Amino acid sequence: MPKKTNKKLWFYRKKWFLWTAGSVVAVVLVMAVAFRVSPWPGAMVIRLVFDRGGHKTLVGLQQSIPAQPVTVLKNQQYGKSSSKELLDVYIPNTAIQAHKTLPIVIWTHGGAWLSGDKKDAAPYYALLANQGFVVVSLDYSLAPEATYPTPLHELNDAYAYVQANAARFYANTSKIVFAGDSAGAQLSSQMAAIITNPAYASEVGIQPALAPSQLAGVVLFCGIYKMQGLTEPDPTLPKIVSWGSDVSVWAYLGTRDKSSPLVREASPYYHVTKNFPATFISGGNGDSLTNAQSVPFAGELISLGVPVTTLFYPQNHTPSLPHEYQFTFNADGKNAFTKMVQFLGQKTQ
């Protein structure tokens, strides 16, 4: 009797094991197919990683930057088509007390077009405001829920809203600087190209809310300026990094066709002219985007005669400075902040 029981038990265990193994294989196959036919699964994984990174950035900046005497007007609704169309305005208390208007820095956050929040670098924006600027940090609709060119239309609406509320924000709209990091640098530079290149504005289908004369400069950290550079695997990078870049572009543009006209249209590198605003551009020596994206974009602007201020580092610089190094706010991050403020001061005088 015990032998029969053991044999029967072994039979059921074997059956359970085969069923479980088959189920696991089926799930893996379904997931593999899902990751290949839609950007959504991969985009959600990337969003989770970036959201954690954004929280870590905020905590680090809160520990590094003392509380600033600024007034923050939170969650100003600049549009009505999306719940993401909100912005925060950082106004130095001294400007309010003196009833004085200041130049505006409009900062667009990064996050691979899939993630990020206007408050992720809040202490940084407050510190920047107290250098003599009104700082606007804005949210925009994220991929894959919203695809290109939705964020561009939202940014344009935000600019119109800031202009309409300039008196309330103590903002001088004749001296506006666009700023951004990572995907936010791509968006800010693309909007600057749209405003200063009428043919490009027509191609994208945007009627700019601002005139070229209102743009005093552009500040770009760790950005992307040639989108096709992210659609093809980079053999020098870990496969997971190249995969993430490809998925991000797929989710944002709505296509993974590398030959799609949208890939070139969304690449500011091909649409800048000599009228592009004076530019401050930087990237860390440990960031693969620096040599692949930032350095060539700076070179293109210089070749057009655009005034460019660069902050790049030798390859042997230590510590190695990663993507979004400026928000780490160690000695190199503080130096980048100082250089940026000097640029802003010169261009908004």
Side-chain angles (χ1 to χ4, degrees), residues 56 59 63 67 71-72 74 99 187 214 272:
K56 185 177 179 181
V59 171
Q63 294 172 347
T71 295
V72 185
K74 294 184 178 180
H99 298 283
L187 289 166
Q214 293 177 270
V272 292

Side-chain angles (χ1 to χ4, degrees), residues 71-336:
T71 295
V72 185
L73 304 179
K74 294 184 178 180
N75 296 323
Q76 306 295 295
Q77 186 169 0
Y78 67 80
K80 297 179 180 179
S81 61
S82 167
S83 61
K84 294 294 288 184
E85 292 176 297
L86 300 171
L87 56 81
D88 297 338
V89 186
Y90 298 77
I91 309 169
N93 290 344
T94 51
I96 297 173
Q97 293 160 4
H99 298 283
K100 178 183 179 182
T101 62
L102 297 172
I104 316 164
V105 177
I106 303 178
W107 199 293
T108 304
H109 69 75
W113 306 282
L114 307 171
S115 178
D117 191 280
K118 58 184 170 56
K119 68 178 183 296
D120 285 345
Y124 191 91
Y125 304 143
L127 182 63
L128 179 56
N130 267 328
Q131 311 309 305
F133 308 97
V134 170
V135 178
V136 174
S137 171
L138 55 84
D139 275 338
Y140 51 91
S141 295
L142 301 172
E145 293 91 336
T147 54
Y148 178 88
T150 298
L152 298 179
H153 288 281
E154 292 178 347
L155 264 60
N156 198 44
D157 290 344
Y159 304 156
Y161 179 83
V162 169
Q163 185 158 248
N165 290 271
R168 187 163 65 93
F169 297 160
Y170 295 85
N172 181 349
T173 56
S174 68
K175 297 179 179 179
I176 300 174
V177 175
F178 290 168
D181 56 282
S182 194
Q186 183 275 328
L187 289 166
S188 293
S189 59
Q190 188 177 7
M191 285 305 301
I194 286 170
I195 292 169
T196 56
N197 183 345
Y200 184 39
S202 178
E203 179 184 343
V204 180
I206 289 180
Q207 180 63 46
L210 300 177
S213 60
Q214 293 177 270
L215 294 186
V218 177
V219 170
L220 306 172
F221 281 103
C222 310
I224 301 97
Y225 314 102
K226 282 185 178 181
M227 297 291 277
Q228 72 266 34
L230 299 187
T231 63
E232 298 175 1
D234 184 339
T236 67
L237 298 177
K239 288 185 179 180
I240 187 65
V241 175
S242 290
W243 168 82
S245 298
D246 175 61
V247 170
S248 297
V249 174
W250 180 16
Y252 177 48
L253 296 185
T255 177
R256 67 185 322 177
D257 180 3
K258 299 175 176 60
S259 62
S260 169
L262 291 182
V263 174
R264 185 181 178 90
E265 182 182 289
S267 301
Y269 180 93
Y270 300 110
H271 307 287
V272 292
T273 69
K274 64 179 181 180
N275 299 319
F276 195 81
T279 301
F280 175 93
I281 186 166
S282 182
N285 63 313
D287 182 357
S288 62
L289 291 178
T290 300
N291 288 331
Q293 298 279 344
S294 297
V295 172
F297 190 56
E300 178 65 11
L301 293 175
I302 291 169
S303 73
L304 293 168
V306 176
V308 177
T309 300
T310 62
L311 180 58
F312 299 129
Y313 301 81
Q315 282 304 117
N316 62 354
H317 179 85
T318 54
S320 180
L321 303 178
H323 188 62
E324 300 279 44
Y325 82 95
Q326 75 282 355
F327 290 145
T328 305
F329 227 62
N330 54 12
D332 293 305
K334 291 176 181 177
N335 178 59

Side-chain angles (χ1 to χ4, degrees), residues 27-45 233 243 246-248 250-251 254-258:
V27 169
V28 169
L29 288 174
V30 168
M31 289 180 66
V33 171
F35 272 80
R36 289 182 64 85
V37 301
S38 169
W40 274 86
M44 294 303 101
V45 172
W243 168 82
D246 175 61
V247 170
S248 297
W250 180 16
T255 177
R256 67 185 322 177
D257 180 3
K258 299 175 176 60

